[in-house]
Amino acid sequence: MRKTTIIIVFAACMIATIAKGLGAQPHATSAEQDRHSSFSSTTHYPGSKMVEIAMARLRDAETAASLAEDGRAILLSEKTKRPIANYKHQALALLERGEFREAIRTASVYLYLGKEQKDEGHLAYAKLLLASAYLFSGNNELANEYASNALDHWVWPQWRNNAHSSAYKILGDVAFRRGDHQKAISLYEKSVDLADDMLRFYSRAALSSAHIAAGNLDQGAKALKEAEGYVSILTRTGQLSASNNLLRLRGSLALKEGKPEDASHLFEKALQNISESHDSPYERFWLMEGNARAKAASGYASAALQNNLDAIKESEKVRARFRSEEFKTGLFGEMQDVFGRTVQLLMESGQPEQAWEISEQSRSRALLDMIRNRVRIEHNGIALADSYSKPVKIQDFSSMLNPNDLVVSYHMLEDQGYIWAVRKSGLSAYAIPIGKASIAKLIQEFRSAVLAQSSETRKLGGELYDLLVKPLKLTDKEAITFVPHDVLHYLPFQALWTGDRYLIQRNPISYAPSVASLVVLTERQIERKGKFFALGNPDVGDPALALPGAQREVEALGKLFPDSEVLVQKNATREIFMKVAGLSRLVHVAAHGTADPIDPLSSKLFLAGSSVKAGALEAKDVYSMKLDNTALVTLSACETGLGSISRGDEIWGFTRSFLSAGTQSLLVSLWPVSDESTELLMSRFYKELSKGIGVRLSLRDAILEVLVNPKFSAPFYWAPFNLVGNPR
């Protein structure tokens, strides 16, 4: 079994306030539940021992001892020796830019040096940096652990209060995001008691937000008033948005007090106070969002809708520059929530087509916000990321479809969801009666049943089918493209039970990150002929990680094509992949992979190294490739289709990087796969492709061949493979 390690993390781009405490030392010396492990695989199924080992390694990989060892290795690889303070400041700068994995790597060096020098102060601040990085990336458990550990270290007296205040602030943020507002209040109070003037403002603002969320409105007002006393200090230091942040908090308090008209006045006053700057679109966005909530509470649905639409326009101006104010003040709003509320208002007002278009926009902006200034896009990938330059209109899109095409988009909200079915004849809309938490629970149970080959699989698959597919009134002739949202990305629709058969037995199925990307991908023109290029069983330096089944797989596939190049073991290098993949029509990789839980752009495929380059291919490396002539990339590794679901919804690990680099289609997996069944499936798949049959129909034929084999009839063996992109 090809193994990988993965934890699903819901990204949260926020930052804390330890900057001043991370200055020179005396000597050289949201409010969501913690969901990062919602889809971790601990279920027993064939080959589960390897998966359990992989999961254990993942849990251990982020421990202080492991990180310090990583830091030592990084330090040894550096040619120039730098002072310890350089790593501290570099890690902080990386945090401010939102580069969390790189921040963790740099903080690991800092942690190692602190241990070597036996400097308690540096150890405390290294752990604060790590706590912040994990908090921002959504891993509440590790954020809590490192912030707690930071309190155990002795710090020089003049820095101790600030360091401990920062630790309590992070611990309070974790509690707030887990919904434990009373615990957050207690921790924020400790932070306030120890903080200096600047941090005291942020801690008091967070304390006020927690009180308001808990319904302690008098205490919230008191903390807010106390925070106001520090605004002039922050203004003098250039932090001009502090005053408007407080106006926004006062507006939120007024809303909780049942005074929506007062709240609207406060939000509008703050909007008038904004001075034009790099941050002004961001500030306007949040104030418009608050005003929309106030208008809705006053019963002015049309005004609420307009404010939300105005906020969305502002969001188009907000790009990937990392924003710190949300975490600093404890205002845990997230930009994607505005899209959801706008979708709901439009649906409730009988405007399903406009709701569909707003849902599309919410998908499209996420990748752009994440990758801009993170990777250099050498090619036309920006067309996939930034669909705002070409907004998708329902009439234009439906006219592009064939008579038997069906494109199904979803949008999940807290208490309900929506389905849009687009056919050549137009759009139909349906409501899902339960929200994302209930759907997530069902998907978790279904995936566990699939992995365990449980008798409950069909029952659970039937329940999900009734909720998500049955309203569509499918015909047997329709070919479906699913555009999932949020937790639905982890659902193998092909394995849903229709009542008498699996959905894949009735309809061909493919997936797309968004309709905008589907349009771009289907418009790309690729030559019908070209090379088949495959890498299998790369030598990664550990015999225990050999994949003989993967080697047999690629060697057999190469024989199907007259023009093929198949490289295995030491020849299956990252360097040759980067050079040859773009010259090939079909690209197949059978290797180990990991999805990075902190930064999906650091997710890796483990290829063989060379004398020039290390072997790991990271997702962000793929953006620099030119895959215009590549019709299909198959990642026959475990869980390559999974990455983080950003708050903008899209899974943006290898899936988005390969599509943005130019390939028309991508075949990826949702869970660890069986070598034997995968060999059978891939053999039939490529046989069909070699005959000129379309990629979606070829995959369906391959799945059906595996499915009818008694040995592999369970969905575990044939359902993990998702075709993403152009299905033709």
Side-chain angles (χ1 to χ4, degrees), residues 96-143:
E96 290 282 355
R97 293 204 298 269
E99 298 185 32
F100 305 134
R101 177 50 72 189
E102 292 304 316
I104 288 170
R105 288 170 179 160
T106 304
S108 297
V109 179
Y110 183 33
L111 180 69
Y112 169 73
L113 291 172
K115 284 188 172 184
E116 284 293 290
Q117 297 180 12
K118 297 181 180 179
D119 188 305
E120 292 288 300
H122 282 309
L123 285 171
Y125 286 123
K127 289 183 178 180
L128 284 174
L129 283 164
L130 290 167
S132 298
Y134 286 117
L135 181 69
F136 311 154
S137 59
N139 193 324
N140 294 339
E141 182 179 352
L142 285 174

Side-chain angles (χ1 to χ4, degrees), residues 185-201:
I185 288 167
S186 175
L187 292 163
Y188 287 146
E189 286 174 342
K190 291 181 179 180
S191 179
V192 167
D193 290 341
L194 295 171
D196 63 11
D197 289 345
M198 184 182 298
L199 185 53
R200 187 169 294 173
F201 166 80

Side-chain angles (χ1 to χ4, degrees), residues 468-486:
L468 301 172
V469 181
K470 190 174 182 178
L472 305 175
K473 299 180 176 61
L474 297 175
T475 68
D476 290 354
K477 294 182 179 180
E478 289 184 306
I480 311 169
T481 300
F482 286 109
V483 183
H485 183 254
D486 203 271

Side-chain angles (χ1 to χ4, degrees), residues 199-454:
L199 185 53
R200 187 169 294 173
F201 166 80
Y202 291 123
S203 295
R204 287 195 185 281
L207 176 61
S208 174
S209 186
H211 273 304
I212 293 169
N216 307 325
L217 304 187
D218 290 342
Q219 294 96 317
K222 180 183 177 183
L224 182 54
K225 186 172 181 60
E226 290 169 343
E228 287 173 346
Y230 299 94
V231 170
S232 59
I233 297 172
L234 293 177
T235 302
R236 288 199 299 272
T237 61
Q239 300 188 53
L240 304 178
S241 63
S243 177
N244 267 3
N245 279 334
L246 289 184
L247 281 174
R248 185 178 155 205
L249 259 178
R250 286 175 61 196
S252 297
L253 176 61
L255 270 176
K256 278 280 189 176
E257 291 173 334
K259 303 174 182 176
E261 298 287 353
D262 291 347
S264 183
H265 174 74
L266 289 164
F267 292 129
E268 288 171 358
K269 179 181 178 181
L271 278 166
Q272 294 170 2
N273 291 344
I274 292 176
S275 56
E276 286 301 317
S277 70
H278 186 81
D279 286 333
S280 55
Y282 178 77
E283 292 183 44
R284 275 196 294 269
F285 172 90
W286 281 116
L287 292 167
M288 289 171 177
E289 178 271 343
N291 202 24
R293 287 187 288 115
K295 294 296 186 185
S298 297
Y300 303 129
S302 60
L305 176 59
Q306 188 58 54
N307 271 277
N308 276 327
L309 291 171
D310 290 342
I312 288 172
K313 288 180 181 178
E314 290 298 318
S315 79
E316 297 174 18
K317 305 172 187 176
V318 180
R319 291 315 190 211
R321 180 167 176 257
F322 189 67
R323 306 291 171 173
S324 63
E325 297 305 310
E326 288 304 297
F327 240 101
K328 284 179 179 177
T329 58
L331 301 175
F332 291 90
E334 298 186 49
M335 298 184 81
Q336 289 301 316
D337 292 340
V338 176
F339 288 90
R341 285 195 291 272
T342 307
V343 165
Q344 187 168 11
L345 284 169
L346 286 166
M347 289 295 290
E348 290 175 350
S349 62
Q351 302 178 70
E353 294 184 355
Q354 292 88 336
W356 177 86
E357 291 173 4
I358 292 296
S359 179
E360 264 298 297
Q361 287 188 29
S362 74
R363 302 170 205 270
S364 302
R365 67 163 282 108
L367 179 75
L368 182 61
D369 284 351
M370 287 294 186
I371 68 174
R372 192 184 291 270
N373 300 329
R374 298 286 312 284
V375 294
R376 184 180 176 191
I377 299 178
E378 301 284 357
H379 185 43
N380 65 350
I382 198 67
L384 279 183
D386 190 4
S387 69
Y388 287 108
S389 59
K390 295 180 180 179
V392 180
K393 297 297 182 183
I394 189 65
Q395 293 85 355
D396 297 334
F397 176 65
S398 60
S399 67
M400 296 170 55
L401 300 178
N402 292 324
N404 290 324
D405 285 341
L406 171 61
V407 179
V408 184
S409 299
Y410 297 88
H411 201 109
M412 295 305 304
L413 303 175
E414 294 302 323
D415 56 351
Q416 64 183 319
Y418 298 105
I419 312 171
W420 297 278
V422 185
R423 296 177 169 92
K424 193 168 187 66
S425 57
L427 177 143
S428 302
Y430 311 91
I432 300 171
I434 61 175
K436 65 173 70 175
S438 298
I439 283 285
K441 183 174 182 293
L442 271 175
I443 294 173
Q444 172 71 14
E445 292 172 352
F446 177 63
R447 282 175 58 93
S448 296
V450 169
L451 296 178
Q453 300 184 45
S454 165

Side-chain angles (χ1 to χ4, degrees), residues 373-649:
N373 300 329
R374 298 286 312 284
V375 294
R376 184 180 176 191
I377 299 178
E378 301 284 357
H379 185 43
N380 65 350
I382 198 67
L384 279 183
D386 190 4
S387 69
Y388 287 108
S389 59
K390 295 180 180 179
V392 180
K393 297 297 182 183
I394 189 65
Q395 293 85 355
D396 297 334
F397 176 65
S398 60
S399 67
M400 296 170 55
L401 300 178
N402 292 324
N404 290 324
D405 285 341
L406 171 61
V407 179
V408 184
S409 299
Y410 297 88
H411 201 109
M412 295 305 304
L413 303 175
E414 294 302 323
D415 56 351
Q416 64 183 319
Y418 298 105
I419 312 171
W420 297 278
V422 185
R423 296 177 169 92
K424 193 168 187 66
S425 57
L427 177 143
S428 302
Y430 311 91
I432 300 171
I434 61 175
K436 65 173 70 175
S438 298
I439 283 285
K441 183 174 182 293
L442 271 175
I443 294 173
Q444 172 71 14
E445 292 172 352
F446 177 63
R447 282 175 58 93
S448 296
V450 169
L451 296 178
Q453 300 184 45
S454 165
S455 59
E456 292 289 296
T457 299
R458 289 185 177 180
K459 173 180 173 294
L460 293 166
E463 291 178 21
L464 286 163
Y465 173 83
D466 288 345
L467 283 167
L468 301 172
V469 181
K470 190 174 182 178
L472 305 175
K473 299 180 176 61
L474 297 175
T475 68
D476 290 354
K477 294 182 179 180
E478 289 184 306
I480 311 169
T481 300
F482 286 109
V483 183
H485 183 254
D486 203 271
V487 295
L488 297 181
H489 281 289
Y490 300 96
L491 176 63
F493 282 83
Q494 54 269 23
L496 298 186
W497 186 249
T498 68
D500 60 353
R501 51 187 162 168
Y502 294 107
L503 185 57
I504 191 64
Q505 292 176 289
R506 190 174 71 184
N507 300 93
I509 290 170
S510 64
Y511 296 82
S514 65
V515 170
S517 64
L518 182 63
V519 170
V520 174
L521 293 166
T522 53
E523 287 178 345
R524 289 179 182 167
Q525 299 298 315
I526 301 287
E527 290 290 331
R528 299 290 295 179
K529 296 181 180 179
K531 176 191 286 189
F532 172 81
F533 173 59
L535 300 181
N537 190 23
D539 184 345
V540 295
D542 185 348
L545 298 179
L547 295 169
Q551 183 167 333
R552 291 193 304 270
E553 178 183 309
V554 297
E555 289 173 340
L557 295 178
K559 296 174 182 177
L560 298 173
F561 299 91
D563 184 6
S564 67
E565 182 176 0
V566 176
L567 301 174
V568 300
Q569 298 186 29
K570 291 185 181 297
N571 294 322
T573 66
R574 174 189 183 278
E575 193 174 8
I576 195 75
F577 179 84
M578 296 286 285
K579 289 179 179 178
V580 178
L583 304 175
S584 309
R585 183 173 182 270
L586 302 174
V587 176
H588 187 98
V589 180
H592 290 290
T594 63
D596 192 301
I598 303 304
D599 180 5
L601 289 178
S602 296
S603 298
K604 295 178 178 64
L605 287 175
F606 291 102
L607 306 178
S610 66
S611 58
V612 180
K613 292 282 187 180
L617 177 75
E618 295 192 350
K620 60 174 169 272
D621 299 333
V622 179
Y623 281 99
S624 65
M625 298 177 69
K626 186 174 181 179
L627 300 175
D628 271 24
N629 295 318
T630 304
L632 172 71
V633 173
T634 298
L635 301 181
S636 187
C638 297
E639 294 170 302
T640 46
L642 296 183
S644 172
I645 292 184
S646 72
R647 283 294 296 158
D649 171 60

